[in-house]
């Protein structure tokens, strides 16, 4: 259970995630239905954690995500009806994580292994040979080092597109910029990443 309600007067989150569409849950939450917002938290918590992991030091993940959900709860009256919830939430999470990163005295290494899908469950897949597992681990470590060498904004735009599989329209909503700006930012970030990867594999 994700205990965001320790800082609100909302009831505890449900044990299961509702199958109700985001739009319907958001509408109910905007009317003050804390249980509906609890379903949104349960549904999108993993995504929020992964966004925060890209932007902020690992030690701040839980706090950043919890505070972002609290801010989202209080910002719901300003949420534009009919707009997609996921990019809106990602923007709040990213902003909160960025604020925490700016206030930190030093940046810790980002942990992106989960975002790249190379966790223990993936490595233990029965249809993968030890050689394939080792190669995947090495490639993931190279990617992590290359990503860590980029600016936070570059990491975020790459993560939105390739790790979180967002469309350009969703990215524009999450970053609060025009679609054309998304395209140019992603192109520049990918160029920088390719350069970093080339340096890492020399």
């Amino acid at each position: 259970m994700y205990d965001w309600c320790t800082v609100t007067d909302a009831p505890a989150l449900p044990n299961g995630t509702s199958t109700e569409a985001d739009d319907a849950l958001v509408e109910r939450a905007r009317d003050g239905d804390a249980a509906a917002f609890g379903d949104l938290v349960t549904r999108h918590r993993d995504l929020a954690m992964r966004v925060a992991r890209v932007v902020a030091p690992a030690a701040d993940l839980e706090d950043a995500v919890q505070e972002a959900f609290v801010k989202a709860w209080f910002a719901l009256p300003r949420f534009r009806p009919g707009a997609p919830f996921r990019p809106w939430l990602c923007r709040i999470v990213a902003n909160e994580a960025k604020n925490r990163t700016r206030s930190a005295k030093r940046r810790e290494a980002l942990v992106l292994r989960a975002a790249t899908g190379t966790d223990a469950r993936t490595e233990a897949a029965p249809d993968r040979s030890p050689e394939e597992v080792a190669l995947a681990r090495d490639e993931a470590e190279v990617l992590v080092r290359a990503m860590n060498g980029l600016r936070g904004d570059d990491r975020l735009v790459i993560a939105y597109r390739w790790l979180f599989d967002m469309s350009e329209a969703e990215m524009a909503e999450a970053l609060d910029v025009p679609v054309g700006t998304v395209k140019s930012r992603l192109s520049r970030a990918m160029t920088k990443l390719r350069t970093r990867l080339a340096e890492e594999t020399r």
Side-chain angles (χ1 to χ4, degrees), residues 27-185:
E27 190 61 31
R28 285 171 50 203
R30 278 169 51 84
D31 290 336
D33 187 337
F37 187 70
D39 281 345
L40 289 167
V41 172
T42 302
R43 180 176 296 176
H44 296 288
R45 181 181 181 276
D46 286 347
L47 172 65
M49 289 290 290
R50 293 170 71 194
V51 171
R53 182 175 289 118
V54 170
V55 177
D60 290 341
L61 291 182
E62 290 285 352
D63 287 345
V65 170
Q66 176 151 326
E67 185 64 22
F69 275 122
V70 171
K71 289 183 176 180
W73 168 254
F74 287 111
L76 275 175
R78 301 192 301 276
F79 181 79
R80 179 164 50 88
F85 178 76
R86 189 172 76 144
W88 180 78
L89 175 64
C90 285
R91 184 165 70 242
I92 293 174
V93 173
N95 286 340
E96 179 62 25
K98 284 179 182 178
N99 289 339
R100 288 172 179 270
T101 299
R102 291 190 189 106
S103 65
K105 291 185 178 180
R106 62 190 183 94
R107 184 187 301 268
E108 297 180 18
L110 294 176
V111 182
L112 296 178
R113 183 177 299 277
T116 59
T118 55
D119 58 14
R121 289 168 299 176
T122 300
E123 292 184 352
D127 59 340
R128 303 184 72 186
S129 69
E131 292 80 8
E132 289 173 326
V133 170
L135 179 60
R137 185 185 298 115
D138 289 344
E139 290 174 346
E141 289 174 355
V142 169
L143 177 59
V144 167
R145 289 197 300 270
M147 287 282 282
N148 282 342
L150 300 178
R151 292 173 56 249
D153 289 346
D154 291 330
R155 287 196 303 272
L156 190 59
V157 73
I158 291 172
Y160 279 162
R161 180 65 187 93
W162 301 111
L163 302 183
F164 308 145
D165 198 27
M166 283 190 179
S167 67
E168 290 179 347
E170 288 177 318
M171 292 169 64
E173 187 79 20
L175 296 168
D176 197 21
V177 297
V179 172
T181 302
V182 167
K183 292 179 178 179
S184 60
R185 283 189 185 180

